[in-house]
Amino acid sequence: MTTFTERPSANVDVANIARIYDYYLGGLYNFEVDRQKAERIRSVLPSVELLARANRDWLRRSVRFLLAQGIDQFVDLASGLPTMNNTHEVAHARNPRARVVYVDCEPSAVLHGEDILADEPLVAMIEADGREPEQVWSHPRVRELIDLSRPVGLIMGGLLVFVDDKDDPAALLAAYRDACAPGSYLSVSHLSDDQADAETRTQVARMSDAYLAGVGQRLYVRDREAIAAWFEGMELVEPGLTLMADWRPDPGLDVDAQTPSRVLGYGATARVR
Ligand SMILES: C[S@@+](CC[C@H](N)C(=O)[O-])C[C@H]1O[C@@H](n2cnc3c(N)ncnc32)[C@H](O)[C@@H]1O
């Protein structure tokens, strides 16, 4: 593994979500400042680490499903760091020739990602705002690695939780769909608390506050109905929009599905016609 060095331009004085997430996943790409913020968030939502792991498990299963459909090129929006069973690691275990572009808006996360991927010619990490599809599609590394005339797997693991209703998540999803060739797939996961008990809901609300205070990003927690509406007119693959833990579960590999966090997120995959 590439040694985790402090690149001069990577901001290691301020916590960032990608490194906090890496910490929850048991990774090495985080600093004291990230761990302190991560623990503060955990103090309000004790199951946050299991939630991160359940989301990464969902992503792993989604990528494997797309590989089984013949997808060999992936764009992973709001990816976080390219470690801990992230998209290229899962893809290359099945198809070493698969191409993957990770997209994140945090410059520090992208700098770390570039280091981590230095020896991976078929994988890139770019800095772009996932709310701006043109920024993504026009990026030179995307143009070099991804052929939009062929089916692509577009992964949105947690992107839309950062998108305000006034920025129209449904229109954003549709814009990505329209840019992809028929036979492409969009895999989406989203934080939710509509099946949680009252105590866990309060914890989720406090976690959102802690995220805002800690890293300056607002999380939009939504119910199943709101998320389902974004997919209207799209063809969802079986089993449709479900709790992440129920989307093609893999009991031997998934985190314990009985944890309180199992109801805190939905996942779905749509096929582009
Ligand atoms: C929870 S982490 C990574 C989750 C990962 N996709 C997964 O499913 O396991 C969320 C990441 O989204 C990034 N992010 C937040 N808003 C974004 C935006 N508008 N565009 C791109 N990345 C964004 C953050 O910087 C962070 O690294």
Side-chain angles (χ1 to χ4, degrees):
M1 191 202 313
T2 313
T3 316
F4 190 31
T5 49
E6 296 188 15
R7 275 175 65 151
S9 38
N11 190 344
V12 297
D13 300 323
V14 181
N16 82 45
I17 300 180
R19 295 194 308 245
I20 289 175
Y21 204 69
D22 176 71
Y23 174 64
Y24 290 142
L25 294 175
L28 300 172
Y29 296 87
N30 49 78
F31 295 100
E32 189 52 32
V33 67
D34 307 306
R35 295 189 281 272
Q36 278 177 10
K37 284 284 184 321
E39 289 305 335
R40 197 160 309 155
I41 293 166
R42 195 209 299 270
S43 70
V44 293
L45 178 63
S47 60
V48 66
E49 176 184 309
L50 291 164
L51 176 60
R53 289 175 185 245
N55 190 54
R56 189 53 60 88
D57 282 347
W58 166 85
L59 178 137
R60 168 178 48 76
R61 299 192 308 269
S62 301
V63 172
R64 285 174 61 174
F65 171 81
L66 301 191
L67 287 161
Q69 311 314 305
I71 297 294
D72 61 2
Q73 47 174 4
F74 297 84
V75 175
D76 184 339
L77 301 167
S79 61
L81 296 172
T83 60
M84 305 311 290
N85 248 335
N86 216 333
T87 298
H88 84 286
E89 298 167 289
V90 179
H92 283 179
R94 288 265 171 115
N95 178 2
R97 295 166 59 83
R99 292 161 178 250
V100 178
V101 178
Y102 291 104
V103 180
D104 204 287
C105 64
E106 268 193 4
S108 292
V110 176
L111 285 169
H112 296 315
E114 286 171 345
D115 275 352
I116 294 163
L117 298 170
D119 300 327
E120 296 279 359
L122 300 180
V123 188
M125 182 152 183
I126 67 162
E127 183 185 332
D129 187 337
R131 295 170 301 183
E132 304 287 344
E134 266 319 303
Q135 263 187 35
V136 175
W137 300 130
S138 64
H139 194 285
R141 295 292 275 150
V142 174
R143 296 169 74 99
E144 178 193 327
L145 287 170
I146 305 295
D147 176 359
L148 280 179
S149 69
R150 295 178 51 242
V152 62
L154 196 70
I155 313 288
M156 303 169 84
L159 170 70
L160 296 173
V161 78
F162 298 110
V163 180
D164 195 345
D165 280 342
K166 71 176 170 42
D167 293 326
D168 202 346
L172 182 60
L173 195 59
Y176 276 115
R177 176 201 59 201
D178 294 345
C180 294
S184 298
Y185 291 87
L186 313 181
S187 292
V188 176
S189 71
H190 200 288
L191 179 65
S192 188
D193 64 359
D194 57 359
Q195 295 197 44
D197 57 35
E199 184 188 358
T200 309
R201 274 191 199 189
T202 305
Q203 291 174 351
V204 169
R206 289 204 186 119
M207 174 188 73
S208 299
D209 293 344
Y211 251 105
L212 188 58
V215 290
Q217 269 202 302
R218 187 176 292 283
L219 300 178
Y220 298 93
V221 184
R222 297 184 166 101
D223 62 21
R224 188 182 183 284
E225 200 183 334
I227 300 164
W230 301 338
F231 291 99
E232 249 165 52
M234 294 196 208
E235 178 190 329
L236 291 185
V237 305
E238 288 296 321
L241 176 67
T242 64
L243 290 174
M244 290 188 301
D246 292 336
W247 199 89
R248 297 176 180 260
D250 198 349
L253 292 173
D254 297 341
V255 291
D256 179 3
Q258 299 316 313
T259 63
S261 57
R262 88 176 300 281
V263 297
L264 291 183
Y266 288 102
T269 290
R271 186 171 188 279
V272 178
R273 287 190 279 235

